[in-house]
Amino acid sequence: MSALIEGLFNGISIGSVLLIAALGLAIVFGLMGVINLAHGELMMLGAYTTFVVQNVFKPLGEPWFELYILFSLPVAFIVSALFGLALERGVIRFLYGRPLETLLATWGVSLILRQFVRSVNWLLVISIAVFCLCFFGGMAILKRLSHWERIRNWAITILLFISSAISIALGFLIDRVGTLALTKPWFSARNVDVTAPTWLRGGWKILGFQMPYARLFIIALTIICLLGVYWFLNRSTWGLRIRAVTQNRSMSACLGIPTAKVDALTFALGSGLAGVAGCAVSLLGSVGPNTGQNYIVDTFMVVVVGGVGNLFGTVVAGLSIGIINYLIGSGTLALIFTSTESLKPLVDFFLFFATSSMAKVMVFAIIITFLQVKPAGLFPQKGRTAEL
Amino acid sequence: MSKLGRRKFLLYGSVGLGTSILLKGCASSEETSTSTTVDSSTGTTVSDSGGDTIKVGILHSLSGTMAISETTVVEAEKLAIEEINAAGGVLGKQIVAIEEDGASDWPTFAEKARKLIDKDNVTTVFGCWTSASRKAVLPVFEEKKHMLWYPVQYEGQECSQNIFYTGAAPNQQIEPAVDWLLANKGKEFFLVGSDYVFPRTANTIIKEQLKAKSGTTVGEDYLPLGDTEVTPIITKIKAALPNGGVIFNSLNGDSNVAFFKQLQGAGLSPDKYPVMSVSIAEEEVRQIGKDYLKDHYASWNYFQTVESPANQKFVEAFKAKYGEDRVTNDPMEAAYIMVYLWKQAVEQAGTTDLEAVRKAAIGQEFDAPEGKVKMLPNHHISKTVRIGQVRDDGLFDIVWSTEKPLDPIPWNQYVPQTKGYACDWTDPNKGGRYKVEKI
């Protein structure tokens, strides 16, 4: 009995990690149809935010440091959401309806983000800030001119060169005269350590095994996020608009729904959830530039299996992939059949797959077979919906 | 529509161009800053190199997943080169290091090795970390009859004339660790490793050794590189070792973090389930978080806490150059001493001619931070073996060490295929792999 509960708990805990990581993608990819390969990097941003918040809380002493994780959740959400907003406004909105270009562009963004956290230092931040100030400030001033439309292209080109020249020159200057503090990378290419507060370490002993608090925390967090997303999509005005745009973009636009705003908001929401997921996985795994890469394949797998455009499908897919992965990988499936002598070949078969690497192979094989039977996932959308 | 397209094209084109220039500007400023440090330290510039400098190659991953570890090794190598240059250089010439980035991609390593040898005409190459990258460059060095110095502990089963290995062979790290565990911690072992050549070979050796010394392997599992879900493995450990036992860990990289965090969460504490790691040194302890690793064990030849004048000097020099908050570890120390061993070999040979240096390298002794080391005819060095336990500050308490340096055995004597073989490059009849006569 306790073995069964332990198995179920472990399966659910693996599934909840998959689910929370995939939740943001279920919105971005599922509802909007954007193949966002930078999703993992948005998680990574959330994880790094957790690291920064942890270091801010460290000097505050005991009662506060214990609670840093609760503060880092909203901060991670906001940081990732803002970044997602910038990404949508700056890149993705030009690429709606062109999945292949989106794929390449977001892959590029993910590479840039990974390199960014490796090499970010004050020098780089100052240079970028100065560039933005010159470029967008100049644009704002020039826009007041009456013949702006005519000179637009030239102005932008010249402005671009001037602002980059200024920021590069400033960068060189700071590099020459500045101290090490300015040129020292914030995080460097090394992994950083996120140590869970003491109340999330260890576990709850029950029925002869121990439920890790970190896992329980993630399960609770997943449930809260799910309920929040469900409430937002089905009970709020903006949720209604998001659903309307998902179902029929041109009709929604005709009825006066600001589709561009809805797109931006949806993408920001999905990105913010990725940030929360990043905060959650920092309790279990490593935090480094490649953190996102460890999750990106799994998250797409969950959304595809669940059926694009269906949150409920994502939930079922995440949990079942987690449970299957655990049952195969830990050899529990093989143990169940050992009692029956006639099932010996089956036991051998499962024992062969009862290692972490082979379990992955098996799960992939099952998923591919499943997608042959149901190509649109567990709960395919019916009727004419996402025509993106 | 077409006009808009052109306009937009112009806009994005210029934005892209501008950004790339910006990034390039930042990147090049970084590059110039690093090259100036090398130049100022060598006291010479690359342009007027002429005949008064000696070029060496440094070939490590400066980007990609392995950059985390390999950049620290590069730092140690540059420190050694700087010290040698400050003391007058080699044969009266200054050493100029040419850095190449292997980018954590094994074919790139081979390509860059070729470039260093053919285009830069370096006199030797210091480089590689993973066994996969070493195996990738090995054919290049054999074909060109060139020389590679390799600083990382590895699985053995290799002995090339063109490589000098200054990291530990299995008998200088894994085997003493297993013996110590058998004597002090228990006879039942669970083996966990990343799914690639080093852990698999290492675990083959451990299993043979346990069989020979009445220990038992109760289970083993391999995690794909970078995987962070270890719940199934922890379940298996609990099932196989219900009353506690030894976990032998050869995981590499990110998986270690997940492993130790989740191990603690599942209530497997170091008093009942001590973990012996062979890929976790001071730098990794910092990245995983010392609270998760406290009281677990690691086996290395060098810890920052080794007490010797040579080590004190090394640690101080390193901290002075790279910052007070930095730590030194075993591969860094091996990288540091290999530059000195090469320098001594060149000085004894009186030339940078490869054949002469290769001959002169054998027998070189050096008072390393870890203790005395000596290059032996099998191109590996003798090393002291130590076992450390992680303490509160993230450094290691040395709980056990061999009394004197252990001679390396590259061909493993527990594995049937290589039992009875040895390696000796001083005797042309013996070479890389020969059968030892029974005495």
Side-chain angles (χ1 to χ4, degrees):
Chain A
M1 183 62 194
S2 91
L4 189 72
I5 294 176
E6 183 178 3
L8 204 63
F9 173 78
N10 284 332
I12 289 173
S13 58
I14 296 177
S16 68
V17 172
L18 286 175
L19 184 52
I20 197 163
L23 196 57
L25 196 73
I27 290 172
V28 168
F29 177 47
L31 296 185
M32 299 175 72
V34 174
I35 301 176
N36 182 17
L37 286 180
H39 184 76
E41 275 60 40
L42 292 167
M43 284 175 66
M44 175 199 74
L45 280 185
Y48 269 94
T49 311
T50 314
F51 171 70
V52 171
V53 172
Q54 170 195 278
N55 285 2
V56 168
F57 273 67
K58 225 170 220 167
L60 291 183
E62 261 323 299
W64 288 101
F65 181 66
E66 293 293 300
L67 297 174
Y68 84 85
I69 198 83
L70 300 180
F71 286 90
S72 63
L73 284 171
V75 178
F77 181 87
I78 292 167
V79 168
S80 292
L82 284 181
F83 190 84
L85 194 67
L87 181 62
E88 202 270 346
R89 291 283 88 187
V91 182
I92 287 170
R93 74 174 158 138
F94 304 109
L95 299 171
Y96 280 129
R98 303 203 303 224
L100 294 182
E101 279 105 319
T102 321
L103 188 94
L104 292 179
T106 50
W107 172 245
V109 170
S110 90
L111 288 176
I112 291 172
L113 274 178
R114 256 181 278 163
Q115 197 55 44
F116 179 77
V117 296
R118 283 198 195 105
S119 53
V120 62
N121 53 19
W122 282 112
L123 182 66
L124 189 69
V125 172
I126 292 171
S127 299
I128 292 174
V130 168
F131 176 82
C132 289
L133 197 72
C134 291
F135 185 70
F136 293 108
M139 279 247 281
I141 293 169
L142 285 177
K143 259 186 186 159
R144 295 190 185 166
L145 297 177
S146 53
H147 52 291
W148 161 249
E149 275 309 312
R150 264 186 294 140
I151 60 161
R152 189 168 175 269
N153 284 344
W154 284 110
I156 288 178
T157 318
I158 293 169
L159 212 54
L160 202 72
F161 277 106
I162 293 177
S163 353
S164 26
I166 291 175
S167 49
I168 291 169
L170 189 77
F172 271 114
L173 198 70
I174 297 176
D175 193 32
R176 284 282 167 274
V177 301
T179 52
L180 192 69
L182 284 173
T183 51
K184 191 177 182 241
W186 291 358
F187 308 116
S188 84
R190 288 185 193 89
N191 287 3
V192 295
D193 69 306
V194 172
T195 305
T198 35
W199 57 276
L200 278 179
R201 279 185 259 147
W204 181 34
K205 285 203 182 62
I206 181 170
L207 296 170
F209 78 102
Q210 185 166 339
M211 291 186 182
Y213 290 132
R215 295 283 188 180
L216 290 170
F217 180 74
I218 290 176
I219 293 173
L221 186 68
T222 310
I223 293 170
I224 292 169
C225 285
L226 268 177
L227 291 177
V229 169
Y230 179 82
W231 176 85
F232 181 78
L233 286 180
N234 291 297
R235 294 279 182 275
S236 72
T237 326
W238 279 101
L240 183 70
R241 288 177 186 160
I242 290 174
R243 281 182 297 139
V245 173
T246 308
Q247 285 183 1
N248 195 327
R249 175 176 296 272
S250 36
M251 186 54 94
S252 318
C254 287
L255 291 170
I257 292 176
T259 53
K261 252 188 211 165
V262 168
D263 287 336
L265 185 79
T266 320
F267 198 86
L269 176 69
S271 309
L273 287 171
V276 173
C279 184
V281 298
S282 71
L283 295 175
L284 295 178
S286 61
V287 179
N290 292 316
T291 300
Q293 292 301 299
N294 299 336
Y295 293 94
I296 187 78
V297 175
D298 289 342
T299 52
F300 269 100
M301 192 166 75
V302 168
V303 176
V304 169
V305 170
V308 173
N310 192 321
L311 281 184
F312 182 64
T314 309
V315 176
V316 176
L319 291 182
S320 38
I321 290 176
I323 292 171
I324 292 174
N325 199 346
Y326 175 78
L327 288 181
I328 298 172
S330 67
T332 314
L333 217 53
L335 275 178
I336 294 172
F337 296 116
T338 16
S339 47
T340 329
E341 192 54 42
S342 56
L343 291 173
K344 187 83 176 55
L346 201 63
V347 173
D348 288 342
F349 173 77
F350 280 117
L351 273 181
F352 177 70
F353 283 101
T355 63
S356 298
S357 306
M358 290 314 285
K360 280 220 139 147
V361 174
M362 180 97 165
V363 168
F364 268 108
I366 292 174
I367 287 172
I368 290 168
T369 322
F370 173 77
L371 288 179
Q372 295 306 307
V373 183
K374 288 189 83 127
L378 280 170
F379 301 97
Q381 293 236 325
K382 291 192 181 72
R384 346 176 282 144
T385 45
E387 87 281 32
L388 279 167
Chain B
M1 191 63 208
S2 73
K3 200 174 177 189
L4 194 72
R6 200 172 62 216
R7 213 181 255 174
K8 281 200 169 168
F9 176 74
L10 197 68
L11 175 66
Y12 303 142
S14 44
V15 167
L17 195 69
T19 325
S20 66
I21 290 172
L22 182 74
L23 289 177
K24 221 172 190 165
C26 293
S28 67
S29 75
E30 244 167 59
E31 261 165 40
T32 45
S33 66
T34 55
S35 69
T36 44
T37 54
V38 170
D39 287 352
S40 63
S41 64
T42 55
T44 177
T45 46
V46 185
S47 53
D48 63 319
S49 55
D52 54 356
T53 57
I54 291 181
K55 282 198 269 187
V56 299
I58 290 183
L59 177 59
H60 285 287
S61 301
L62 306 176
S63 57
T65 68
M66 289 309 297
I68 298 167
S69 311
E70 291 193 57
T71 43
T72 62
V73 176
V74 174
E75 285 167 348
E77 285 160 13
K78 279 160 102 177
L79 174 69
I81 290 173
E82 192 176 296
E83 285 179 1
I84 293 171
N85 281 338
V90 182
L91 302 174
K93 296 178 186 176
Q94 294 283 300
I95 306 171
V96 174
I98 297 169
E99 271 182 67
E100 281 298 337
D101 180 7
S104 309
D105 179 53
W106 323 139
T108 309
F109 266 95
E111 190 187 301
K112 299 284 185 182
R114 233 172 249 284
K115 185 240 164 199
L116 282 171
I117 295 170
D118 289 342
K119 197 155 154 279
D120 299 322
N121 290 314
V122 295
T123 53
T124 186
V125 177
F126 303 110
C128 299
W129 178 294
T130 60
S131 293
S133 67
R134 191 191 66 250
K135 297 266 187 217
V137 299
L138 180 65
V140 178
F141 283 93
E142 302 222 307
E143 178 199 326
K144 310 267 180 201
K145 299 212 180 315
H146 216 278
M147 190 191 293
L148 171 73
W149 293 75
Y150 176 71
V152 183
Q153 119 279 7
Y154 80 119
E155 70 279 3
Q157 311 296 60
E158 186 181 292
C159 188
S160 167
Q161 188 171 14
N162 304 88
I163 301 182
F164 287 101
Y165 308 80
T166 60
N171 77 307
Q172 292 169 311
Q173 183 191 22
I174 295 171
E175 292 171 21
V178 171
D179 285 338
W180 183 82
L181 287 168
L182 281 171
N184 295 298
K185 293 286 162 187
K187 301 222 174 279
E188 294 186 318
F189 281 53
F190 194 98
L191 313 178
V192 184
S194 292
D195 204 355
Y196 76 105
V197 57
F198 168 69
R200 284 203 178 255
T201 317
N203 285 352
T204 316
I205 295 168
I206 294 170
K207 279 188 281 183
E208 291 297 330
Q209 193 183 348
L210 287 175
K211 226 183 273 172
K213 298 197 169 162
S214 75
T216 44
T217 314
V218 293
E220 62 176 314
D221 205 345
Y222 298 93
L223 209 60
L225 267 177
D227 204 348
T228 51
E229 191 53 81
V230 293
T231 309
I233 293 187
I234 287 174
T235 307
K236 274 196 258 181
I237 292 176
K238 280 199 280 193
L241 296 169
N243 300 314
V246 178
I247 302 170
F248 203 98
N249 163 32
S250 45
L251 288 170
N252 225 318
D254 292 352
S255 309
N256 265 318
V257 188
F259 182 67
F260 281 101
K261 281 187 178 177
Q262 294 174 34
L263 201 63
Q264 194 183 54
L268 272 59
S269 57
D271 53 324
K272 268 178 84 182
Y273 294 90
V275 180
M276 173 68 79
S277 305
V278 288
S279 303
I280 290 184
E282 286 84 348
E283 188 68 45
E284 285 77 16
V285 174
R286 290 208 315 174
Q287 291 171 16
I288 296 169
K290 50 185 187 287
D291 295 335
Y292 294 107
L293 277 168
K294 197 174 159 347
D295 291 338
H296 287 298
Y297 296 91
S299 168
W300 290 105
N301 305 109
Y302 167 85
F303 292 105
Q304 191 180 323
T305 41
V306 168
E307 283 172 14
S308 74
N311 182 41
Q312 207 177 349
K313 188 171 143 269
F314 171 58
V315 174
E316 273 168 16
F318 188 83
K319 289 196 169 192
K321 187 165 161 61
Y322 296 106
E324 206 42 49
D325 59 330
R326 297 292 307 277
V327 289
T328 57
N329 64 24
D330 182 276
M332 283 153 78
E333 189 254 7
Y336 177 81
I337 61 179
M338 77 184 177
V339 179
Y340 273 99
L341 285 171
W342 168 78
K343 173 210 164 214
Q344 290 178 1
V346 171
E347 280 178 342
Q348 190 181 326
T351 165
T352 54
D353 179 61
L354 288 168
E355 226 26 72
V357 175
R358 223 190 306 281
K359 278 214 174 66
I362 292 168
Q364 289 301 334
E365 287 186 36
F366 181 62
D367 190 15
E370 68 180 67
K372 278 229 177 333
V373 297
K374 185 178 180 189
M375 181 59 75
L376 294 173
N378 56 15
H379 283 199
H380 290 62
I381 62 175
S382 60
K383 290 171 95 76
T384 310
V385 186
R386 297 184 168 86
I387 286 168
Q389 188 173 23
V390 182
R391 53 184 206 200
D392 289 331
D393 60 356
L395 295 177
F396 288 87
D397 249 344
I398 298 166
V399 293
W400 178 85
S401 82
T402 52
E403 274 160 30
K404 52 183 202 290
L406 230 56
D407 283 353
I409 304 174
W411 298 112
N412 198 277
Q413 301 306 307
Y414 288 104
V415 178
Q417 290 87 343
T418 52
K419 191 172 157 69
Y421 285 92
C423 169
D424 185 350
W425 288 109
T426 51
D427 185 343
N429 297 325
K430 290 177 173 171
R433 190 169 189 254
Y434 70 96
K435 189 102 181 135
V436 183
E437 303 291 327
K438 286 220 173 68
I439 310 159

